């Protein structure tokens, strides 16, 4: 599965913060980094831990949500 990782700069925290929108039951942001690259690596580590934990506990993984949803339809 390919889960979405959202990384954005936080002026308040003075670092890049990471959100995993598919994992709604997990407190967000899930991690951070001083650089974009650090934040991405940390996000991958957290994602691996969440997947491994779910499998060990016999819990289903959350479904992957569409990244972009159209605001309207063109007929």
């Amino acid at each position: 599965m390919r889960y979405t990782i959202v990384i954005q700069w936080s002026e308040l925290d003075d670092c890049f913060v990471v959100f995993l929108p598919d994992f709604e039951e997990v407190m967000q942001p899930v991690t951070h980094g001083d650089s974009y690259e650090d934040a991405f690596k940390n996000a991958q580590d957290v994602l691996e831990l969440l997947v491994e934990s779910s499998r060990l506990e016999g819990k289903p993984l959350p479904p992957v949500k569409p990244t972009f949803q159209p605001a309207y339809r063109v007929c």
Side-chain angles (χ1 to χ4, degrees):
M1 288 189 180
R2 293 181 178 248
Y3 288 107
T4 300
I5 297 172
V6 177
I7 301 173
Q8 67 184 39
W9 178 255
S10 170
E11 291 289 336
L12 180 65
D13 300 309
D14 196 34
C15 65
F16 289 92
V17 292
V18 178
F19 300 87
L20 299 174
D22 297 310
F23 289 82
E24 294 177 342
E25 74 283 352
V26 177
M27 188 170 62
Q28 305 284 336
V30 296
T31 190
H32 67 279
D34 291 329
S35 69
Y36 188 91
E37 293 77 15
D38 287 343
F40 183 68
K41 171 149 183 7
N42 293 340
Q44 290 175 311
D45 291 344
V46 169
L47 196 49
E48 286 177 19
L49 289 171
L50 288 170
V51 169
E52 182 180 336
S53 175
S54 291
R55 288 188 175 149
L56 288 174
E57 295 174 11
K59 294 181 179 178
L61 292 170
V64 176
K65 296 177 185 171
T67 305
F68 298 100
Q69 297 179 10
Y72 59 91
R73 291 177 129 189
V74 177
C75 298

